[in-house]
Amino acid sequence: MRYYAYYPGCSMEATGLPVEKSIKAIAKPLDLEFIELEDWTCCGSSPFAGVDKSKAIGITARTLAQAEKTGLDLVTPCSSCYTILQEANDLLKEDHKLAERVREALSAIGLSYNGTVKVRHIVEVLFNDVGPAGLAAKVVRPLTGLKAACYAGCQQVRPSYGFDDSEYPDWLDQMAQSLGAEPVNFPLKARCCGSSLVISESDVALDLIHRLLQNAQDNGAQCIVSTTCPLCFTALDVYQPVVNGMFKKKFNLPVLAITQMIAIALGLDIKASALDGNVVSPQKLLKPFLTSKPQADKAETPA
Amino acid sequence: MGDNAQTTFLDEVAALPACDKINQCIQCGVCSGSCTTAMHWEYPPRKVIAMVRSGLKDELLKSNSIWFCVSCYLCTTRCPLDIKPASIVHGLESIALKEGYKPPTTTTTMYRTFSESIVNNGRIYEFGFMFKYYLQTNPLAALKMLPTALKLLVHRRLPLTPKRVKGKADLRIIIDKLSAGVGK
């Protein structure tokens, strides 16, 4: 069993819930344990940094200090939290004046941070600590022939923290392939979904989501396998009907978080995979796999 | 909106976290060529940096530029001199908000309601902050969002009550402590 400090991020308690449920479901079968930080608070995300960066780094530092006490790597499934935590971690080492002010602020709440935390994205943990071969070894329901456009989005691979390729990443593709699926070429796989503007400049964001869906469909994808980022997942899934209305399209591309896809391949049921939380239902597309009998020799105890 | 007499606009920006390399910019334009939303900016990223260095503060901060940044970090990853254009853009946003500029976008209100939600609850309360945003900008636009909100509700992805955490008291203390001498 491998242990990690876990920081879900705010969206995982709301729009990202299907992803969160699937993460909880696959952890044990993959011998991973994600220990949620107690009483964690928001990372601030881009908007708070746009209001006041120093304060934003101060509130992020609370999370880093909490994680440091556990002595474990800090894992998050949200790409925005990932980037914010990484950047704060770097700046607290590089900008000594800022670090000093943050140190004083943290001491006022009885915390300290010495810069020792390693911040990790859950997709990177799945790729490096479990790996495509490790996943393949546990597959009881191979998703043979399922054509998938694998979407990494922005902040998982940029700015680069040594995680996959920042222009044309393929770690999600490798993992999807290890589950039996067939990744298709997807030129826009690391382009932005625009989710930070989906409320205030929705036309701009919907235009970006439209391009992603069109590109995936044009390349023969039957579904999109997305990063665990709840913002990317929601943009592609929840806003797909809105894009259809605005651009007079008929997209019906189920969006599976990589962790939902892993859950299905591990033989978990619809509820554990949280497929019932997806707005664009993947159940018809996945029916042949969901009704197939898991290969008995590798089957896990039912969840 | 008065400038401090001793401090230029460039000094003010360069003093913000992760903005100190702005003087190294060679104006190559990779940032503008890479920017996901450049077509919407009155002045695209390369020009934004040139305008900061030329002291064109009012012209820049009254425009819609910077507010279309989606934080995709293509500019930052590709910049050959590692000047971090995305950090500079977010730094400019904070100056514009603090000094009361009124650019033609409601993203400013979104930033405010989002940040208030963090301070009030400790975690983002998605339903609450969106409700407040629409109330302060265009309540009619909320009607257009209703089908999406209903879909989220049906799929149990939009809790209607905030999840207030004890840590929010900590956040207030941290914010108070960092309020003195904003910038650095």
Side-chain angles (χ1 to χ4, degrees), chain A residues 10-11 13-15 17-18 39-42 44-55 58-59 62 83 87 91 95 101-102 105-106 108-109 154-155 158-160 166-167 191-192 194 196-197 199-201 204 208 211 233-234 237-239 241-242 276-279, chain B residues 17-18 36-37 39-40 67-74 76-78 87 90 93-94 97-98 105-107 110-111 114-115 118-119 122-124 126 130 133-134 145 148 151-152 155-157 159 163 165-168 170-171 173-175 177-184:
Chain A
C10 308
S11 291
E13 297 186 323
T15 45
L17 265 169
D39 194 44
W40 56 267
T41 43
C42 180
S45 196
S46 307
F48 205 101
V51 173
D52 191 312
K53 182 95 165 224
S54 302
K55 291 178 190 169
I59 68 168
R62 178 180 186 267
T83 295
E87 196 197 12
L91 275 174
D95 188 332
R101 295 183 62 213
V102 169
L106 283 180
I109 56 166
C154 313
Q155 299 187 348
R158 286 189 305 270
S160 309
S166 64
E167 299 286 346
R191 291 313 177 98
C192 188
S196 67
L197 292 181
I199 307 285
S200 60
E201 297 284 353
V204 174
L208 298 177
R211 290 175 201 217
F233 176 75
T234 297
D237 175 44
V238 178
Y239 285 91
V242 188
D276 49 357
N278 295 37
V279 167
Chain B
T36 302
T37 57
M39 61 288 218
H40 302 292
W67 296 101
F68 283 103
C69 174
V70 283
S71 304
C72 74
Y73 293 96
L74 274 169
T76 299
T77 307
R78 292 176 180 173
S87 297
H90 289 310
E93 288 170 345
S94 66
L97 286 177
K98 245 166 241 155
T105 173
T106 57
T107 302
M110 189 269 283
Y111 273 32
F114 186 94
S115 302
I118 299 174
V119 178
R123 293 180 193 170
I124 287 291
E126 288 183 342
M130 286 189 252
Y133 163 82
Y134 283 117
M145 289 301 298
T148 305
K151 282 192 188 91
L152 283 168
H155 290 87
R156 297 164 190 244
R157 291 166 67 174
K163 193 156 187 167
V165 292
K166 280 183 272 162
K168 79 171 181 177
D170 283 2
L171 296 191
I173 294 170
I174 291 173
I175 289 165
K177 286 272 169 194
L178 290 167
S179 285
V182 165
K184 268 201 177 174

Side-chain angles (χ1 to χ4, degrees), chain A residues 28-110:
Chain A
K28 204 175 163 202
L30 295 178
D31 298 320
L32 308 171
E33 188 166 340
F34 299 112
I35 304 158
E36 190 166 323
L37 289 179
E38 210 175 303
D39 194 44
W40 56 267
T41 43
C42 180
C43 74
S45 196
S46 307
F48 205 101
V51 173
D52 191 312
K53 182 95 165 224
S54 302
K55 291 178 190 169
I57 289 169
I59 68 168
T60 311
R62 178 180 186 267
T63 301
L64 291 168
Q66 283 182 314
E68 193 169 59
K69 283 206 283 190
T70 70
L72 301 167
D73 288 354
L74 177 61
V75 175
T76 180
C78 172
S79 301
S80 180
C81 298
Y82 175 68
T83 295
I84 294 286
L85 288 162
Q86 289 278 25
E87 196 197 12
N89 212 11
D90 282 351
L91 275 174
L92 289 171
K93 282 171 204 152
E94 291 161 10
D95 188 332
H96 300 294
K97 268 192 199 160
L98 178 68
E100 180 54 26
R101 295 183 62 213
V102 169
R103 196 191 60 75
E104 281 171 25
L106 283 180
S107 75
I109 56 166

Side-chain angles (χ1 to χ4, degrees), chain A residues 106-129:
Chain A
L106 283 180
S107 75
I109 56 166
L111 287 173
S112 64
Y113 182 56
N114 299 309
T116 64
V117 170
K118 190 172 171 194
V119 178
R120 302 180 66 185
H121 195 292
I122 202 161
V123 171
E124 182 263 314
V125 168
L126 291 169
F127 186 81
N128 284 323
D129 295 5

Side-chain angles (χ1 to χ4, degrees), chain B residues 21-42:
Chain B
K21 285 194 180 164
I22 189 166
N23 282 309
Q24 262 86 31
C25 173
I26 54 169
Q27 290 286 296
C28 68
V30 164
C31 49
S32 291
S34 302
C35 179
T36 302
T37 57
M39 61 288 218
H40 302 292
W41 300 40
E42 278 176 64

